[in-house]
Amino acid sequence: MHLLSLPTEIITQIFLNLTWKDILKSKSVCKAVYELSQSTALQYHVLLGIAGYRDGPSNHPMSKSQRLGLLRRLESSFNYGDFSQKERIPLSGYTPTYQLQSGIFLQGRHALGPNYRTSGVNVFRLPDNRDGGVSWKLPDLVRPIRDLDVDPIQDLLVLIEGGLLGSTAIETSFVSLTTGDPHPLSSGSYTMPISTTRNVASFTTIVMGSLMGLLVSDLRFIIYDWKKGKTEVDLPFDNIDPVNSFFFLDQSHFGLIRGGRRPAQIEIHKLKYNEEISSGSDLTAVYHLLAVKDNITVGEITCRSDPPPNVNDISTSYTDNQVYSTPPFIPRLEDRVLILEMMFWRSVDLIATCVIAVRAETLMKIPEKSICVDGVYVVTADLWMDETHMQPSMIGGNWACFVYGSRFVTLSFLDPINFTGEPDDDDDDDDDDDNGQKLFWPVEIFILDMNPRLVAWAESKGCDETPFGINRTETIDRRIRKSSELVMHNILQEPWHGGCPAIATRFIAEGVTARAADDFAVMLDGERLIIVKLKVNADHTRLPLYMDIYHS
């Protein structure tokens, strides 16, 4: 029986088992196959593959045609830096911490008093093309919040409390994002006993499905299953070989960044998942980072990569509640970008910083030439640096940038301009020029996308077109940004050759100027770009003024 003699529905199901590349190749076989490839189901399948997404649950209320239209519209907005809608939400209250995940923006709020400690959380479900959003305040807490993370699809808010001078424990609670009550699926809070004569300096908290990773500076690193109440990994602080940061690759693999080694390294671990006892993990690979000279130390390495929402269940279930509804598609885990910022010190002086961006897939696939030692693959810098994107000070003052899938934002400042309007509420004399006039810096924002399929498309067809079928006729600032070579003769033993290009699209936000690097935080998620205007005081407290939301 000839394939094309089968019913169209059956042929379509057969083709949906092919990769998007194979479907594109098959279009040239004959007219009948070409016409088949133009069906909504196959176009959606192909564009999901190109965009680096995977499909959502089969019972999602959006039809395939609606999903295809939404995918085209969102991808075109980010690729062209053109969002048709802008809304401003006023903000108030000093903000020590904030978080963005899948259309949910969290703002920690301060209690009154000289220490401005975070006493509660304000929640914003941000507006989009479907509704105008909503906001609410969660009840005040007894102890100050030191850090938080959120997973809207699970109605989950993770709160880290304690760790201040005189504390005997750090407590992690798992509560409902909607009400602030204990989460119904949580086995209870996690308590970490401490004995310290000073405040714990920093926390890093990341939720990945049923797992929570928590790094407490100078104390320990844990991975905790908040549903089972089981500690999977527990590593005490090692002053000689500290963990600077961490990330999740998927539900079974995580990375530890160790800056005290020479060279600094990324360890890839696989969880053991022993049901009876604390599981631990197996070290599977070590990736070498930049090697510095003997008189240089890597003082700090920070990492940013947010897991997409609902990594476990999005393909099988649909949720729609007050807080969140399951998206029709999300980024593939391997297409996410991880951003590492490294700080180089000579004695007590910070002399340079650099930023390395790398796709998660690079850390999931061991290069063939890697050496295996006692079951652990050693990936030297020369084997993987070509798959990184390197731009010194690429993030500028916006290290609080947010990553979604293969995209992230960069923030830089152009030549200063004189202030000519009326002074604003945060007017002071810190940035006067020699004539007593106020100086402001225009802000330049670029959306960077390390999706290799979009880069290849732009290299072959130019940057004015995208594969998503909505093309622009007016001039746009969209280009292929090559990765720079990092030399730093006085710092590095050998240059770092970043070979992974990115698509850079300039986003023009009218009237956005800054007095200092911390005046703005620029964030993005799967549907929108957000600019938060902040006033930074002399005591480093931050007062948010407003949040501009751009969406299509």
Side-chain angles (χ1 to χ4, degrees):
M1 178 181 291
H2 194 279
L3 174 65
L4 296 179
S5 66
L6 295 172
T8 301
E9 294 79 6
I10 295 178
I11 301 175
T12 300
Q13 288 301 316
I14 293 173
F15 271 68
L16 285 175
N17 290 314
L18 300 177
T19 67
W20 64 271
K21 289 183 179 180
D22 291 333
I23 294 175
L24 288 180
K25 291 177 182 178
S26 69
K27 292 169 64 174
S28 60
V29 171
C30 66
K31 181 179 179 181
V33 173
Y34 175 82
E35 291 176 350
L36 181 69
S37 70
Q38 299 306 298
S39 69
T40 296
L42 291 183
Q43 284 191 65
Y44 180 58
H45 182 69
V46 168
L47 291 185
L48 278 178
I50 294 175
Y53 287 89
R54 60 189 179 102
D55 199 11
S58 58
N59 65 337
H60 197 286
M62 292 184 68
S63 66
K64 283 288 193 277
S65 178
Q66 291 172 323
R67 299 187 203 195
L68 175 61
L70 179 63
L71 177 62
R72 282 175 166 164
R73 185 170 68 253
L74 293 177
E75 287 298 302
S76 296
S77 294
F78 282 105
N79 275 277
Y80 292 127
D82 181 22
F83 299 86
S84 58
Q85 304 293 323
K86 174 187 174 183
E87 302 182 47
R88 175 168 291 185
I89 296 178
L91 298 174
S92 62
Y94 285 94
T95 302
T97 184
Y98 49 85
Q99 180 63 283
L100 173 70
Q101 179 65 272
S102 305
I104 299 295
F105 178 82
L106 301 181
Q107 174 198 3
R109 68 175 180 268
H110 282 79
L112 299 176
N115 294 320
Y116 296 106
R117 294 175 178 175
T118 309
S119 61
V121 178
N122 300 332
V123 185
F124 299 84
R125 181 166 60 80
L126 301 178
D128 54 26
N129 64 326
R130 295 178 291 276
D131 62 57
V134 66
S135 64
W136 62 95
K137 291 185 177 182
L138 297 181
D140 283 350
L141 295 139
V142 176
R143 289 171 294 190
I145 303 169
R146 303 299 306 282
D147 196 25
L148 52 81
D149 199 22
V150 61
D151 184 350
I153 194 62
Q154 301 186 89
D155 189 30
L156 174 66
L157 174 62
V158 180
L159 300 174
I160 311 298
E161 305 169 57
L164 295 170
L165 182 63
S167 300
T168 59
I170 296 169
E171 183 164 333
T172 304
S173 53
F174 306 92
V175 304
S176 164
L177 181 61
T178 309
T179 65
D181 297 330
H183 197 284
L185 298 181
S186 170
S187 61
S189 61
Y190 171 83
T191 301
M192 180 187 297
I194 61 173
S195 175
T196 179
T197 57
R198 57 183 175 81
N199 292 340
V200 175
S202 65
F203 301 82
T204 303
T205 313
I206 302 176
V207 174
M208 176 68 117
S210 64
L211 300 179
M212 177 208 64
L214 174 62
L215 176 62
V216 184
S217 63
D218 298 347
L219 285 177
R220 64 195 324 108
F221 167 73
I222 67 159
I223 293 180
Y224 180 75
D225 191 316
W226 61 276
K227 293 182 179 179
K228 296 179 180 178
K230 180 169 175 287
T231 302
E232 301 289 353
V233 174
D234 189 349
L235 298 177
F237 176 71
D238 186 337
N239 188 53
I240 304 299
D241 190 20
V243 175
N244 296 98
S245 191
F246 77 98
F247 56 86
F248 284 107
L249 286 175
D250 55 32
Q251 190 76 10
S252 300
H253 297 82
F254 65 94
L256 299 180
I257 303 175
R258 296 186 182 269
R261 298 178 181 176
R262 289 186 174 272
Q265 297 175 7
I266 302 174
E267 292 182 342
I268 305 299
H269 292 254
K270 182 178 181 180
L271 290 169
K272 292 181 180 179
Y273 282 124
N274 186 308
E275 293 295 331
E276 302 299 326
I277 59 175
S278 295
S279 308
S281 63
D282 290 323
L283 178 62
T284 61
V286 173
Y287 286 73
H288 288 186
L289 288 163
L290 291 74
V292 298
K293 295 190 174 181
D294 292 341
N295 64 334
I296 303 296
T297 58
V298 179
E300 184 179 354
I301 305 177
T302 50
C303 177
R304 184 79 201 188
S305 179
D306 286 333
N310 199 28
V311 294
N312 293 323
D313 303 324
I314 189 170
S315 297
T316 57
S317 62
Y318 172 74
T319 299
D320 189 5
N321 54 45
Q322 175 187 348
V323 176
Y324 186 76
S325 59
T326 306
F329 43 78
I330 62 168
R332 299 189 311 158
L333 290 174
E334 58 267 35
D335 271 295
R336 294 178 302 142
V337 169
L338 295 91
I339 300 177
L340 285 75
E341 184 184 46
M342 302 182 67
M343 300 182 180
F344 304 107
W345 295 74
R346 181 183 292 115
S347 184
V348 296
D349 297 321
L350 176 64
I351 58 175
T353 63
C354 76
V355 174
I356 300 174
V358 60
R359 298 177 66 245
E361 186 175 31
T362 299
L363 302 178
M364 292 177 169
K365 296 181 178 180
I366 306 297
E368 292 183 0
K369 295 183 180 180
S370 303
I371 300 173
C372 186
V373 180
D374 296 330
V376 178
Y377 288 94
V378 179
V379 186
T380 53
D382 59 297
L383 296 180
W384 74 289
M385 70 169 72
D386 195 51
E387 297 187 40
T388 65
H389 186 85
M390 171 71 67
Q391 294 287 338
S393 302
M394 179 169 59
I395 305 300
N398 190 49
W399 177 240
C401 79
F402 283 64
V403 180
Y404 189 83
S406 59
R407 295 191 187 98
F408 57 100
V409 287
T410 67
L411 177 65
S412 58
F413 300 92
L414 305 177
D415 292 336
I417 58 175
N418 288 328
F419 176 75
T420 57
E422 293 295 325
D424 58 14
D425 293 337
D426 62 343
D427 191 36
D428 55 46
D429 297 328
D430 291 344
D431 298 307
D432 290 357
D433 66 8
D434 293 339
N435 298 319
Q437 292 183 297
K438 298 297 178 185
L439 295 180
F440 282 75
W441 284 261
V443 177
E444 187 174 58
I445 300 169
F446 274 90
I447 303 170
L448 265 68
D449 196 329
M450 288 181 61
N451 182 333
R453 297 164 294 277
L454 290 182
V455 173
W457 179 284
E459 288 175 338
S460 64
K461 297 180 180 294
C463 290
D464 292 336
E465 296 183 12
T466 75
F468 301 104
I470 303 177
N471 297 322
R472 295 284 301 277
T473 56
E474 61 266 34
T475 302
I476 59 171
D477 191 348
R478 185 171 185 263
R479 67 190 78 162
I480 298 174
R481 181 179 288 183
K482 300 292 186 181
S483 176
S484 64
E485 178 186 56
L486 192 65
V487 179
M488 293 185 177
H489 294 294
N490 61 331
I491 295 176
L492 301 181
Q493 292 185 9
E494 298 289 342
W496 184 277
H497 304 277
C500 187
I503 297 290
T505 302
R506 185 181 181 189
F507 175 72
I508 300 175
E510 297 294 337
V512 176
T513 57
R515 294 277 298 278
D518 292 332
D519 276 2
F520 280 92
V522 183
M523 299 173 276
L524 56 77
D525 62 11
E527 296 191 34
R528 54 190 70 78
L529 186 141
I530 299 168
I531 299 177
V532 179
K533 178 67 171 71
L534 301 162
K535 172 188 174 183
V536 182
N537 297 316
D539 61 355
H540 303 295
T541 56
R542 294 177 291 189
L543 178 65
L545 304 177
Y546 58 80
M547 173 169 51
D548 282 342
I549 303 162
Y550 300 84
H551 60 93
S552 60

